[in-house]
């Protein structure tokens, strides 16, 4: 029984420290000035056109992470909140992905090198999307998903430890 998230379905939480799941932080993560944008500290801002995710630290700064975002026709914008945190989630491909990839198994276990969710996932209210790691690090920086936000595994671990349930998420073009 998986929780459907467009392009990703989370089905399992394995307990333990998420920090132990990924090596050192990705070099591309950096602290940056927000440039006049005003968001509450703790807010996650995803700019799909930049293929970047920002975690707002204060009025002036944020941590910027490179991400992979929805491909053409699969992008979305809006406001949500984190409603779940999962370590090594199983993945049950939703119908739209199974139509495009009919040879996919019904479920790919968490921790499998074939599992596209990576080491952790933060699900978003509404049950359609997630911010998650990846088994294809070369896809980061591209328009590659069915709507989910992909991060390097090292970066999703960092974000996972910094945010909680209820964290606001704003997705813009």
């Amino acid at each position: 029984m998986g929780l459907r998230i467009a392009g990703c379905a989370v089905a399992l939480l394995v307990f333990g420290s998420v920090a132990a799941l990924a090596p050192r932080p990705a070099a591309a993560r950096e602290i940056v000035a927000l440039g006049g944008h005003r968001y509450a500290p703790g807010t996650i801002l995803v700019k799909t056109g930049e293929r970047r995710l920002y975690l707002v630290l204060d009025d002036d700064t944020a941590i910027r992470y490179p991400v992979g975002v929805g491909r053409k026709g699969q992008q979305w914008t809006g406001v949500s909140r984190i409603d779940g945190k999962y370590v090594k989630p199983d993945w049950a491909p939703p119908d739209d992905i199974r139509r495009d990839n009919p040879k996919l198994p019904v479920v790919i276990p968490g921790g499998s090198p074939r599992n596209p969710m990576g080491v952790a996932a933060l699900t978003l209210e509404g049950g359609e999307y997630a911010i998650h790691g990846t088994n294809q690090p070369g896809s980061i920086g591209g328009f590659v998903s069915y709507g989910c936000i992909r991060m390097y595994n090292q970066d999703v671990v960092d974000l996972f430890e910094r945010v909680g349930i209820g964290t606001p998420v704003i997705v813009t073009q």
Side-chain angles (χ1 to χ4, degrees):
M1 294 177 73
L3 169 64
R4 186 189 185 305
I5 5 184
C8 19
V10 179
L12 173 68
L13 171 61
V14 177
F15 295 96
S17 170
V18 71
L21 299 175
R24 294 180 169 257
R29 179 185 340 141
E30 58 188 339
I31 305 273
V32 297
L34 284 175
H37 297 289
R38 297 291 179 231
Y39 298 99
T43 299
I44 293 172
L45 174 63
V46 178
K47 294 185 176 184
T48 58
E50 290 182 13
R51 288 161 323 280
R52 297 288 186 264
L53 180 151
Y54 296 81
L55 176 61
V56 178
L57 299 176
D58 56 40
D59 287 343
D60 300 318
T61 59
I63 302 173
R64 180 172 63 192
Y65 304 87
V67 295
V69 298
R71 47 182 109 153
K72 187 174 181 176
Q74 302 289 335
Q75 295 176 12
W76 62 281
T77 59
V79 178
S80 189
R81 293 189 178 281
I82 293 174
D83 71 356
K85 294 176 68 171
Y86 302 89
V87 176
K88 290 188 179 179
D90 286 355
W91 182 61
D95 292 340
D96 52 345
I97 293 178
R98 289 188 60 74
R99 272 192 300 277
D100 292 346
N101 302 284
K103 293 183 180 181
L104 283 173
V106 174
V107 174
I108 299 175
S112 167
R114 295 184 55 217
N115 185 321
M117 299 296 284
V119 299
L122 304 164
T123 57
L124 303 179
E125 275 179 354
E128 296 217 12
Y129 301 107
I131 299 167
H132 62 80
T134 185
N135 65 343
Q136 298 176 349
S139 70
I140 302 305
F143 297 99
V144 294
S145 76
Y146 281 75
C148 287
I149 309 302
R150 289 186 193 173
M151 300 181 77
Y152 289 119
N153 284 328
Q154 302 91 324
D155 287 345
V156 80
V157 166
D158 183 72
L159 185 65
F160 189 101
E161 292 179 342
R162 293 176 185 271
V163 301
I165 304 298
T167 297
V169 178
I170 301 168
V171 179
T172 67
Q173 289 293 337

